[in-house]
Every structure is written in structure tokens, then in C-alpha cells.
Amino acid sequence: MHLDKNSNIVIVLPKNPLKTEQFAAEELLRYLNLSLGAKPKISEKKEKDAYHFIVGSPARNNEALPFIDNQHFSAEVTGPEGLYIDIRENGTLLAGSPVNDGYDRGTLYAVYEFLERYVTAGHEQGRSPGRIHLLC
């Protein structure tokens, strides 16, 4: 999957996002814009014919459920700072552990980990700026 300035990108937040989830989505939007020149949108809903970044755990964001259910997510992602990244052809899930501490740091860490691996590292490894290659 390749994303570039012409890609229709939607960052999907849960309804009533936590401040940390909102900040994570804004950081993702900012760096995708800087890296690609794209104009991603932040929304609570998916859009037809868009590549989606789902921000937040399945317990908080129903759009995460096609990636992983609550039970498996809770078993795989533990601790207050656990993170989960799942990249697919039609979207990417960026989520943190389901600890109910009101902060959801894991989701913010998932966004930063994604950006470090696929956005900023791409430029350092000689990939052309303005394009991101995601391995699904």
C-alpha cells in the first residue's frame, strides 16, 4: 500500500475521544501532512474510498473491531503503555492498552511508533519524500 499527496486519508476517532486520543490523531494528521503533502481529515466515521487510520482501542472505537475484538486485544495489549499497530490494505489500527486511567498513553505511543517506523524512517532509508509505503 502506498500513500501519497493524492490519497484520501481519514483518521477515525471514537465518539467523545479522550484528550490523548484527540492529540494522537492531531499528531498523526500533522506528520502525514508534512511528509506527504496530503490533507488528511479527522472524523468519527469512515468514508468510502479512503484509507483509514483508526485511533483508539476496540473498547473505545467501534471501527477497530474489524481488526481485533475486545477480548483478544485485552489479552495481547497489557499494561498502561501497551500499544498495538495493525496495518492492512484498507486501513491501519493504532491503539493502546485498555487501561481505564483516563489517559490512554498507549494510543499516543502507537501513533509515535507508527510515525517513527513508516513516516520519518522512510526518508532516512532513501525512500522518496511525499510517499509512504506500508507493508500489509
Side-chain angles (χ1 to χ4, degrees), residues 117-128:
R117 283 188 197 180
Y118 296 100
V119 179
T120 59
H123 299 297
E124 295 166 4
Q125 295 172 5
R127 296 186 198 132
S128 49

Side-chain angles (χ1 to χ4, degrees), residues 35-81:
S35 180
L36 298 173
K39 303 267 189 247
K41 297 171 235 151
I42 296 176
S43 177
E44 292 179 358
K45 296 182 180 188
K46 287 178 151 183
E47 290 183 12
K48 187 178 178 184
D49 299 323
Y51 189 86
H52 299 99
F53 286 94
I54 310 301
V55 175
S57 70
R60 299 225 2 98
N61 192 336
N62 288 334
E63 299 294 352
L65 290 170
F67 290 88
I68 188 168
D69 64 49
N70 284 320
Q71 183 178 359
H72 287 100
F73 185 83
S74 294
E76 284 189 38
V77 184
T78 60
E81 298 174 354

Side-chain angles (χ1 to χ4, degrees), residues 91-106:
T92 295
L93 172 60
L94 302 168
S97 60
V99 174
N100 290 325
D101 64 0
Y103 296 105
D104 198 12
R105 292 183 301 273

